[in-house]
Amino acid sequence: MTANRQTSWAFADAFVAEDDALHWARERAREAGLRSVSPGAGAALRLLAATVDAKAVAEIGTGTGVSGIHLLHGMRPDGVLTTVDPEPERQQFARQAFRAAGFASNRARFIPGRALDVLPRLADAGYDLVFCDGDRMECLDYLAESLRLLRPGGLVVFEGVFADGRTIDSGPQPAEVVRLRELLRAVRESQDLVPSLLPVGDGLLCAVKR
């Protein structure tokens, strides 16, 4: 990659400035050893939520609230984010971050638990966008659940599909990278989806449900 291209990518990643609430949430994630979406990926999530005029969004992987803040900024003022995470203490950080960002408590519904236990309880065709940032080994299951949860014209988004470049590396890879390759193939070949792969952050795989 040329230096000019690297500079351009860095400029694009920092194009949308982040506020104090996002910086606070990022610091909590760093302290907990968690990866957060990059500023560029967060800005893309904000744009995608606004593009579908999202009123109902489901998020797999609350973390400390970085992606949630971006999604809420893009959603309608009356929109509700349903966010699922197996670690309730992380969700407490996200609650604080959302409040610091100026969002009322009724804008987010926090559900602690394993995603594949929680998602089947959510309403069919009840969501405008599903954002998946959970266990990579479960990504194909997330895709199946997302197709059920999304309304026609809704968006599913997977974060981290580049896996720090390992997804396109020809050498032997761990099982989670193999699973990401299967996800990419499944989304690209699905007759029910209109896909795109965005080179922001560690890769955003996006698809519109027909």
Side-chain angles (χ1 to χ4, degrees):
M1 184 186 299
T2 66
N4 282 343
R5 180 170 292 184
Q6 288 179 324
T7 301
S8 297
W9 280 14
F11 176 74
D13 201 48
F15 181 68
V16 176
E18 295 193 326
D19 58 19
D20 290 341
L22 277 163
H23 290 311
W24 183 88
R26 284 191 182 284
E27 183 61 20
R28 302 292 79 74
R30 187 193 64 78
E31 291 171 352
L34 299 174
R35 290 183 58 166
S36 300
V37 297
S38 74
L45 290 176
R46 189 181 303 203
L47 174 70
L48 292 169
T51 298
V52 295
D53 194 28
K55 184 175 181 179
V57 172
E59 177 185 47
I60 301 170
T62 308
T64 56
V66 175
S67 54
I69 290 176
H70 280 293
L71 288 165
L72 284 165
H73 275 305
M75 293 169 65
R76 290 169 45 169
D78 60 343
V80 176
L81 172 69
T82 297
T83 182
V84 181
D85 199 286
E87 303 294 339
E89 62 271 19
R90 297 177 188 171
Q91 293 187 320
Q92 290 303 317
F93 286 130
R95 286 181 192 273
Q96 295 179 53
F98 292 176
R99 186 165 54 248
F103 297 110
S105 60
N106 64 356
R107 292 292 311 280
R109 177 171 61 146
F110 294 88
I111 305 179
R114 181 171 169 265
L116 295 182
D117 294 332
V118 174
L119 296 177
R121 307 201 303 263
L122 302 184
D124 291 6
Y127 292 84
D128 305 298
L129 189 153
V130 179
F131 174 57
C132 305
D133 189 16
D135 186 342
R136 288 172 174 168
M137 292 301 294
E138 298 178 343
C139 61
L140 289 171
D141 298 303
Y142 298 160
L143 176 61
E145 284 295 323
S146 296
L147 287 172
R148 180 184 62 80
L149 293 173
L150 287 170
R151 62 165 174 81
L155 269 168
V156 60
V157 182
F158 288 86
E159 197 277 333
V161 295
F162 290 165
D164 294 319
R166 292 177 297 167
T167 303
I168 59 172
D169 192 321
S170 60
Q173 296 297 335
E176 66 174 25
V177 175
V178 175
R179 190 58 54 85
L180 286 175
R181 290 173 177 168
E182 294 171 351
L183 171 70
L184 287 161
R185 188 179 306 112
V187 170
R188 184 176 59 195
E189 296 177 356
S190 173
Q191 298 301 306
D192 298 319
L193 296 169
V194 180
S196 182
L197 183 55
L198 305 184
V200 293
D202 197 25
L204 284 182
L205 175 62
C206 309
V208 175
K209 179 181 177 181
R210 292 185 187 275

